[in-house]
Protein backbone atom coordinates (compact mmCIF):
# COMPACT_ATOMS: atom_id res chain seq x y z
CA UNK A 1 0.00 0.00 0.00
CA UNK A 2 1.46 3.30 -1.10
CA UNK A 3 1.52 6.13 1.44
CA UNK A 4 0.70 9.65 0.25
CA UNK A 5 0.94 12.73 2.46
CA UNK A 6 0.55 15.74 0.15
CA UNK A 7 -2.19 16.75 -2.30
CA UNK A 8 0.48 16.78 -5.02
CA UNK A 9 1.25 13.10 -4.29
CA UNK A 10 -2.48 12.31 -4.19
CA UNK A 11 -3.04 13.99 -7.58
CA UNK A 12 -0.03 12.22 -9.13
CA UNK A 13 -1.12 8.80 -7.77
CA UNK A 14 -4.74 9.27 -8.88
CA UNK A 15 -3.70 10.57 -12.30
CA UNK A 16 -1.63 7.43 -13.01
CA UNK A 17 -3.95 4.90 -11.29
CA UNK A 18 -5.96 2.40 -13.32
CA UNK A 19 -9.62 3.35 -13.62
CA UNK A 20 -12.18 3.21 -12.17
CA UNK A 21 -10.64 4.72 -9.03
CA UNK A 22 -12.46 4.40 -5.70
CA UNK A 23 -11.98 6.77 -2.75
CA UNK A 24 -12.80 5.81 0.84
CA UNK A 25 -12.55 8.81 3.21
CA UNK A 26 -12.04 7.92 6.89
CA UNK A 27 -10.95 9.57 10.11
CA UNK A 28 -9.17 6.40 11.17
CA UNK A 29 -10.22 4.34 14.21
CA UNK A 30 -10.79 1.82 11.42
CA UNK A 31 -13.35 -0.90 12.17
CA UNK A 32 -15.15 -3.56 10.15
CA UNK A 33 -17.54 -0.92 8.76
CA UNK A 34 -14.68 1.05 7.18
CA UNK A 35 -13.08 -2.18 6.00
CA UNK A 36 -16.31 -3.19 4.25
CA UNK A 37 -16.17 0.12 2.33
CA UNK A 38 -12.58 -0.52 1.24
CA UNK A 39 -13.43 -4.12 0.32
CA UNK A 40 -16.39 -2.97 -1.75
CA UNK A 41 -14.33 -0.31 -3.52
CA UNK A 42 -11.64 -2.92 -4.23
CA UNK A 43 -14.28 -5.21 -5.78
CA UNK A 44 -15.85 -2.46 -7.88
CA UNK A 45 -12.80 -0.37 -8.81
CA UNK A 46 -9.39 -1.06 -10.36
CA UNK A 47 -7.65 0.96 -7.63
CA UNK A 48 -8.70 2.20 -4.19
CA UNK A 49 -7.34 5.15 -2.22
CA UNK A 50 -8.34 5.33 1.44
CA UNK A 51 -7.86 8.58 3.32
CA UNK A 52 -7.04 8.91 7.00
CA UNK A 53 -7.37 12.37 8.53
CA UNK A 54 -8.99 13.33 11.83
CA UNK A 55 -10.56 16.55 10.61
CA UNK A 56 -10.56 19.17 13.38
CA UNK A 57 -12.98 21.37 11.41
CA UNK A 58 -15.89 18.96 11.85
CA UNK A 59 -15.66 18.77 15.66
CA UNK A 60 -17.78 21.48 17.27
CA UNK A 61 -16.54 20.17 20.65
CA UNK A 62 -12.75 20.42 20.99
CA UNK A 63 -12.82 17.83 23.84
CA UNK A 64 -14.46 15.37 21.45
CA UNK A 65 -11.64 16.00 18.95
CA UNK A 66 -9.02 15.41 21.65
CA UNK A 67 -10.74 12.17 22.79
CA UNK A 68 -11.21 10.82 19.26
CA UNK A 69 -9.43 7.43 19.13
CA UNK A 70 -6.18 7.45 17.14
CA UNK A 71 -4.15 4.41 16.14
CA UNK A 72 -2.31 5.25 12.92
CA UNK A 73 -0.31 1.99 12.73
CA UNK A 74 -3.37 -0.21 13.40
CA UNK A 75 -5.42 1.81 10.90
CA UNK A 76 -2.80 1.48 8.16
CA UNK A 77 -2.61 -2.28 8.69
CA UNK A 78 -6.41 -2.63 8.61
CA UNK A 79 -6.79 -0.51 5.44
CA UNK A 80 -4.04 -2.54 3.71
CA UNK A 81 -5.66 -5.81 4.80
CA UNK A 82 -9.01 -4.64 3.37
CA UNK A 83 -7.37 -4.03 -0.01
CA UNK A 84 -6.52 -0.31 -0.18
CA UNK A 85 -3.83 0.33 -2.81
CA UNK A 86 -2.87 3.68 -1.35
CA UNK A 87 -3.61 5.73 1.73
CA UNK A 88 -3.61 9.52 1.95
CA UNK A 89 -2.58 10.68 5.44
CA UNK A 90 -1.97 14.41 5.23
CA UNK A 91 -0.69 16.41 8.18
CA UNK A 92 -3.09 19.13 9.37
CA UNK A 93 -0.99 21.90 7.74
CA UNK A 94 -1.39 20.22 4.35
CA UNK A 95 -5.19 20.33 4.60
CA UNK A 96 -5.43 23.70 6.34
CA UNK A 97 -2.32 25.67 5.29
CA UNK A 98 -1.46 28.92 7.05
CA UNK A 99 -3.99 31.56 6.05
CA UNK A 100 -6.64 28.98 5.12
CA UNK A 101 -9.84 30.92 4.37
CA UNK A 102 -11.98 28.88 1.99
CA UNK A 103 -14.91 26.91 3.44
CA UNK A 104 -17.81 25.04 1.94
CA UNK A 105 -20.91 26.32 3.73
CA UNK A 106 -23.72 23.78 3.51
CA UNK A 107 -27.43 24.50 3.72
CA UNK A 108 -30.31 22.17 2.86
CA UNK A 109 -29.80 18.65 4.20
CA UNK A 110 -27.00 19.85 6.51
CA UNK A 111 -29.24 22.05 8.64
CA UNK A 112 -31.49 19.78 10.77
CA UNK A 113 -30.62 16.85 13.07
CA UNK A 114 -26.80 16.60 13.38
CA UNK A 115 -26.47 20.04 11.80
CA UNK A 116 -28.66 21.58 14.49
CA UNK A 117 -26.99 19.61 17.30
CA UNK A 118 -23.42 20.25 16.09
CA UNK A 119 -23.12 23.74 14.56
CA UNK A 120 -20.52 23.89 11.79
CA UNK A 121 -20.08 20.11 11.68
CA UNK A 122 -21.24 19.64 8.10
CA UNK A 123 -19.33 22.69 6.84
CA UNK A 124 -16.22 20.92 8.15
CA UNK A 125 -17.26 17.62 6.55
CA UNK A 126 -18.14 19.25 3.22
CA UNK A 127 -14.88 21.22 3.11
CA UNK A 128 -12.65 18.18 3.65
CA UNK A 129 -14.72 15.94 1.37
CA UNK A 130 -14.62 18.60 -1.37
CA UNK A 131 -10.83 18.87 -0.99
CA UNK A 132 -10.43 15.07 -1.19
CA UNK A 133 -12.76 14.72 -4.20
CA UNK A 134 -11.06 17.58 -6.07
CA UNK A 135 -7.63 16.22 -5.12
CA UNK A 136 -8.22 12.63 -6.24
CA UNK A 137 -11.00 13.05 -8.85
CA UNK A 138 -12.17 9.47 -8.14
CA UNK A 139 -14.88 7.71 -10.14
CA UNK A 140 -16.65 6.53 -6.99
CA UNK A 141 -16.55 7.58 -3.33
CA UNK A 142 -17.72 5.26 -0.56
CA UNK A 143 -19.49 6.28 2.66
CA UNK A 144 -21.30 4.31 5.36
CA UNK A 145 -25.08 4.59 5.56
CA UNK A 146 -24.74 4.76 9.35
CA UNK A 147 -24.02 8.46 8.83
CA UNK A 148 -27.11 8.80 6.65
CA UNK A 149 -27.28 12.59 6.89
CA UNK A 150 -23.61 12.81 5.86
CA UNK A 151 -24.48 10.74 2.77
CA UNK A 152 -27.27 13.21 1.90
CA UNK A 153 -24.90 16.16 2.47
CA UNK A 154 -22.17 14.63 0.27
CA UNK A 155 -24.68 13.90 -2.51
CA UNK A 156 -25.87 17.54 -2.33
CA UNK A 157 -22.25 18.78 -2.35
CA UNK A 158 -21.37 16.66 -5.40
CA UNK A 159 -24.47 17.82 -7.29
CA UNK A 160 -23.95 21.49 -6.39
CA UNK A 161 -20.23 21.56 -7.26
CA UNK A 162 -20.85 19.59 -10.46
CA UNK A 163 -18.34 16.90 -9.49
CA UNK A 164 -18.27 13.76 -11.60
CA UNK A 165 -18.19 11.07 -8.94
CA UNK A 166 -20.62 8.30 -8.01
CA UNK A 167 -21.44 8.50 -4.30
CA UNK A 168 -21.93 4.99 -2.92
CA UNK A 169 -23.70 4.54 0.42
CA UNK A 170 -22.87 1.10 1.84
CA UNK A 171 -25.14 -0.66 4.34
CA UNK A 172 -24.42 -0.16 8.04
CA UNK A 173 -22.33 -2.94 9.56
CA UNK A 174 -23.76 -4.08 12.91
CA UNK A 175 -22.78 -6.14 15.94
CA UNK A 176 -24.84 -9.29 16.62
CA UNK A 177 -27.21 -7.31 18.88
CA UNK A 178 -27.78 -4.65 16.19
CA UNK A 179 -25.47 -1.92 17.50
CA UNK A 180 -24.01 -0.08 14.51
CA UNK A 181 -20.21 -0.21 14.40
CA UNK A 182 -18.76 3.15 15.40
CA UNK A 183 -15.42 4.45 16.57
CA UNK A 184 -17.28 5.70 19.67
CA UNK A 185 -18.48 2.24 20.79
CA UNK A 186 -15.09 1.62 22.40
CA UNK A 187 -15.78 4.48 24.82
CA UNK A 188 -18.75 2.58 26.36
CA UNK A 189 -18.34 0.50 29.54
CA UNK A 190 -19.86 -3.00 29.63
CA UNK A 191 -23.28 -1.89 30.98
CA UNK A 192 -23.47 1.01 28.58
CA UNK A 193 -22.47 -1.25 25.69
CA UNK A 194 -25.34 -3.62 26.54
CA UNK A 195 -27.81 -0.71 26.82
CA UNK A 196 -26.61 0.88 23.55
CA UNK A 197 -28.25 -1.94 21.59
CA UNK A 198 -31.62 -0.32 22.45
CA UNK A 199 -30.92 2.27 19.72
CA UNK A 200 -31.27 -0.22 16.89
CA UNK A 201 -34.21 -1.97 18.60
CA UNK A 202 -35.93 1.41 18.90
CA UNK A 203 -35.44 2.19 15.21
CA UNK A 204 -36.83 -1.22 14.30
CA UNK A 205 -39.90 -0.59 16.48
CA UNK A 206 -40.33 2.76 14.70
CA UNK A 207 -40.07 1.11 11.29
CA UNK A 208 -42.69 -1.47 12.31
CA UNK A 209 -45.10 1.35 13.26
CA UNK A 210 -44.61 3.36 10.05
CA UNK A 211 -47.87 2.04 8.57
CA UNK A 212 -49.69 4.10 11.24
CA UNK A 213 -47.90 7.30 10.19
CA UNK A 214 -44.77 9.32 10.90
CA UNK A 215 -45.90 10.35 14.40
CA UNK A 216 -46.50 6.72 15.35
CA UNK A 217 -43.10 5.67 14.02
CA UNK A 218 -41.28 8.34 16.03
CA UNK A 219 -43.35 7.59 19.15
CA UNK A 220 -42.67 3.84 18.93
CA UNK A 221 -38.95 4.55 18.65
CA UNK A 222 -38.97 6.94 21.62
CA UNK A 223 -40.95 4.40 23.72
CA UNK A 224 -38.18 1.78 23.40
CA UNK A 225 -35.48 4.34 24.21
CA UNK A 226 -37.42 5.52 27.28
CA UNK A 227 -37.34 1.98 28.70
CA UNK A 228 -33.55 1.66 28.53
CA UNK A 229 -31.91 3.03 31.70
CA UNK A 230 -28.49 3.34 30.02
CA UNK A 231 -29.91 5.90 27.55
CA UNK A 232 -29.33 9.13 29.46
CA UNK A 233 -30.75 11.51 26.81
CA UNK A 234 -32.47 11.43 23.44
CA UNK A 235 -31.22 14.29 21.24
CA UNK A 236 -33.71 13.58 18.45
CA UNK A 237 -35.85 10.95 16.78
CA UNK A 238 -36.99 12.06 13.34
CA UNK A 239 -38.54 10.56 10.24
CA UNK A 240 -37.08 12.50 7.31
CA UNK A 241 -36.77 12.41 3.55
CA UNK A 242 -33.58 10.52 2.68
CA UNK A 243 -32.28 13.18 0.29
CA UNK A 244 -33.40 16.49 1.83
CA UNK A 245 -33.54 15.56 5.53
CA UNK A 246 -36.81 17.54 5.70
CA UNK A 247 -39.66 15.95 7.67
CA UNK A 248 -41.00 13.04 5.63
CA UNK A 249 -44.07 13.98 3.62
CA UNK A 250 -45.29 10.42 3.11
CA UNK A 251 -43.81 10.31 -0.43
CA UNK A 252 -40.44 8.87 -1.48
CA UNK A 253 -37.80 7.13 0.55
CA UNK A 254 -37.68 7.91 4.27
CA UNK A 255 -34.99 7.66 6.92
CA UNK A 256 -35.80 7.19 10.59
CA UNK A 257 -32.85 8.75 12.43
CA UNK A 258 -32.02 9.01 16.10
CA UNK A 259 -29.24 10.41 18.26
CA UNK A 260 -28.94 9.39 21.91
CA UNK A 261 -26.49 9.70 24.73
CA UNK A 262 -25.37 6.59 26.58
CA UNK A 263 -23.50 7.98 29.54
CA UNK A 264 -21.44 10.76 27.95
CA UNK A 265 -21.12 8.95 24.63
CA UNK A 266 -23.26 10.26 21.77
CA UNK A 267 -24.48 7.60 19.35
CA UNK A 268 -26.38 8.01 16.08
CA UNK A 269 -28.08 5.47 13.86
CA UNK A 270 -30.81 5.27 11.24
CA UNK A 271 -32.93 2.94 9.16
CA UNK A 272 -34.01 3.53 5.58
CA UNK A 273 -37.61 2.75 4.82
CA UNK A 274 -40.54 3.50 2.59
CA UNK A 275 -44.28 3.31 3.27
CA UNK A 276 -44.89 0.82 0.38
O1 LIG B 1 -17.38 9.85 8.18
C1 LIG B 1 -16.24 10.27 8.49
O2 LIG B 1 -15.42 9.54 9.04
C2 LIG B 1 -15.87 11.71 8.18
O3 LIG B 1 -16.94 12.56 8.36
C3 LIG B 1 -15.27 11.89 6.77
C4 LIG B 1 -16.27 11.59 5.67
C5 LIG B 1 -14.04 11.00 6.61
C6 LIG B 1 -14.82 13.35 6.58
O4 LIG B 1 -13.85 13.71 7.54
Amino acid sequence: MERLTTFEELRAYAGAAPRPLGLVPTMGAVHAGHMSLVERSSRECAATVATLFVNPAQFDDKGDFARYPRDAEGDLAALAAAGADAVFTPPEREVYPAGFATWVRMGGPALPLEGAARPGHFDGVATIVAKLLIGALPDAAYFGQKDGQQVAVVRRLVADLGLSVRVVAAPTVREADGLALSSRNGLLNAEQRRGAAALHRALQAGAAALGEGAGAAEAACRAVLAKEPQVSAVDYVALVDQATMAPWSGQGEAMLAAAVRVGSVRLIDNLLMSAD
Side-chain angles (χ1 to χ4, degrees):
M1 185 173 67
E2 203 157 323
R3 190 139 170 210
L4 318 165
T5 56
T6 65
F7 279 101
E8 196 179 337
E9 287 170 359
L10 176 64
R11 264 191 303 278
Y13 180 88
R19 295 278 163 164
L21 175 68
L23 184 82
V24 184
T26 84
M27 294 205 300
V30 172
H31 52 60
H34 300 112
M35 291 175 77
S36 77
L37 300 180
V38 175
E39 284 160 6
R40 177 154 172 194
S41 174
S42 299
R43 279 197 307 278
E44 296 179 352
C45 298
T48 294
V49 179
T51 75
L52 201 172
F53 177 66
V54 185
N55 178 28
Q58 68 187 78
F59 289 83
D60 51 309
D61 172 349
K62 295 304 161 210
D64 199 22
F65 175 65
R67 277 192 304 275
Y68 198 82
R70 290 165 172 85
D71 171 16
E73 288 318 306
D75 288 342
L76 292 175
L79 293 171
D85 300 291
V87 64
F88 178 51
T89 56
E92 190 173 329
R93 271 282 166 251
E94 178 70 14
V95 178
Y96 300 111
F100 186 85
T102 306
W103 296 95
V104 178
R105 189 164 58 78
M106 290 295 308
L111 298 181
L113 311 180
E114 290 304 292
R118 304 174 64 191
H121 168 67
F122 283 121
D123 292 351
V125 170
T127 301
I128 182 68
V129 171
K131 291 196 71 156
L132 295 173
L133 292 178
I134 292 167
L137 296 177
D139 299 287
Y142 294 80
F143 297 86
Q145 180 55 43
K146 179 190 161 278
D147 296 308
Q149 187 174 8
Q150 174 169 276
V151 169
V153 166
V154 171
R155 289 195 197 284
R156 186 73 261 163
L157 171 81
V158 164
D160 290 351
L161 294 186
L163 297 173
S164 173
V165 57
R166 189 165 60 91
V167 176
V168 180
T172 302
V173 178
R174 299 182 181 282
E175 303 277 10
D177 63 2
L179 179 66
L181 295 197
S182 162
S183 322
R184 294 170 198 272
N185 294 353
L187 303 172
L188 300 167
N189 68 30
E191 270 306 284
Q192 291 169 340
R193 168 62 192 83
R194 185 200 51 71
L199 180 52
H200 182 240
R201 281 204 310 282
L203 291 167
Q204 286 180 309
L210 184 62
E212 297 153 49
E218 290 177 8
C221 185
R222 284 185 183 277
V224 174
L225 295 172
K227 280 200 209 113
E228 173 51 61
Q230 295 298 330
V231 173
S232 46
V234 177
D235 280 3
Y236 60 76
V237 171
L239 186 67
V240 295
D241 179 278
Q242 266 179 47
T244 64
M245 299 288 122
W248 191 54
S249 64
Q251 304 286 315
E253 300 297 303
M255 182 175 97
L256 182 60
V260 302
R261 282 174 201 274
V262 177
S264 63
V265 183
R266 192 164 180 281
L267 299 175
I268 62 170
D269 198 358
N270 68 80
L271 284 182
L272 300 182
M273 56 191 71
S274 79
D276 310 331

